[in-house]
Amino acid sequence: MINISEHINQKYPHFNLTDEEISILEQNITTCLFKRNELFIKEGTPCKKIGLILKGTAYSYNIDDNGEEVIKDFFYPNNQDILFNYESYLQNENSNLNIKFQEESFVAFYYIQDIINLYTDYPRFLHLEMLLVKQQFQYALQRSKTLQLGSAEEKIKLLQNNKPKVFELFPYSHIASYLGIHRNTFRRVFAKQ
């Protein structure tokens, strides 16, 4: 079993949380085993929780006009492990995407409103929230930069540099979708590297 407070202290030492703050967070954190293909966030519903994927993999997507999944992001431990739709949260709108588990996954999560209710007694939790939102914003900028590149080769190389683990954990069809490249083009270009 994973000790959540130890994980938070090791993975996010820059949050600089006190023992009391971690204890309060632990009281509001739920740990859950999600099954393969189960949704963490469903398109058309508000983003009410933030999760930390501790074991397993997930990805975000929406459905295009042809009924196909269009991959928007990948989630896995020790890199991009925060399950959250910051856009939905910041704009206070229903989510425009789904977050689905690719395999059985162990997740720690909390309901955002529960933490907001603690701001008066624990104002540093607002700072924690802003750090999480900032991290999500940085991921979005990185994705935007990748997608603005011209060639498939450039996109693949940048993703390999920024998120090499994605190539080990996710099907190439998902990676091609994420990069906005047809899967046959992806396979051809990737095979040349």
Side-chain angles (χ1 to χ4, degrees):
M1 189 57 123
I2 296 172
N3 182 314
I4 299 301
S5 59
E6 284 180 19
H7 185 82
I8 291 170
N9 279 330
Q10 289 174 0
K11 178 80 166 92
Y12 302 101
H14 57 285
F15 288 173
N16 201 23
L17 297 172
T18 66
D19 290 342
E20 181 184 5
E21 290 167 333
I22 287 178
S23 176
I24 294 298
L25 270 181
E26 282 181 326
Q27 293 172 32
N28 288 278
I29 289 176
T30 301
T31 55
C32 186
L33 188 64
F34 288 88
K35 295 178 183 173
R36 182 179 192 271
N37 292 327
E38 194 171 347
L39 294 176
F40 184 74
I41 295 175
K42 184 176 179 177
E43 185 175 5
T45 64
C47 181
K48 294 185 176 183
K49 56 190 175 185
I50 295 178
L52 177 66
I53 191 164
L54 302 167
K55 183 177 182 245
T57 55
Y59 60 93
S60 62
Y61 69 95
N62 54 28
I63 303 294
D64 68 11
D65 294 338
N66 298 322
E68 299 287 326
E69 290 183 359
V70 178
I71 308 302
K72 298 297 181 184
D73 223 332
F74 301 105
F75 306 95
Y76 49 95
N78 300 320
N79 190 318
Q80 190 159 338
D81 50 7
I82 304 294
L83 301 169
F84 183 51
N85 182 345
Y86 81 96
E87 184 178 350
S88 167
Y89 174 67
L90 288 178
Q91 295 180 357
N92 198 25
E93 296 176 349
N94 287 340
S95 178
N96 61 349
L97 54 81
N98 302 285
I99 295 180
K100 180 165 66 171
F101 294 99
Q102 177 178 269
E103 62 186 324
E104 187 174 84
S105 299
F106 186 63
V107 175
F109 68 90
Y110 64 82
Y111 288 96
I112 299 166
Q113 191 58 51
D114 291 346
I115 303 303
I116 289 172
N117 292 340
L118 296 170
Y119 285 175
T120 301
D121 294 330
Y122 299 93
R124 284 179 12 112
F125 285 171
L126 176 60
H127 178 68
L128 172 65
E129 177 187 332
M130 290 301 108
L131 289 172
L132 291 172
V133 169
K134 178 182 175 186
Q135 181 177 327
Q136 294 300 303
F137 184 69
Q138 288 171 332
Y139 289 148
L141 287 176
Q142 189 178 62
R143 180 175 192 272
S144 177
K145 183 178 178 181
T146 301
L147 295 179
Q148 289 176 4
L149 292 173
S151 72
E153 185 176 356
E154 290 172 320
K155 290 179 182 183
I156 293 169
K157 282 184 180 177
L158 186 59
L159 185 61
Q160 285 176 315
N161 290 336
N162 291 333
K163 298 180 184 183
K165 202 87 168 140
V166 165
F167 291 84
E168 297 171 26
L169 299 174
F170 295 93
Y172 289 166
S173 60
H174 283 41
I175 298 169
S177 174
Y178 173 80
L179 294 172
I181 303 170
H182 190 277
R183 71 182 129 222
N184 293 339
T185 303
F186 174 85
R187 289 183 191 277
R188 183 175 35 79
V189 172
F190 189 69
K192 288 180 182 177
Q193 294 184 345

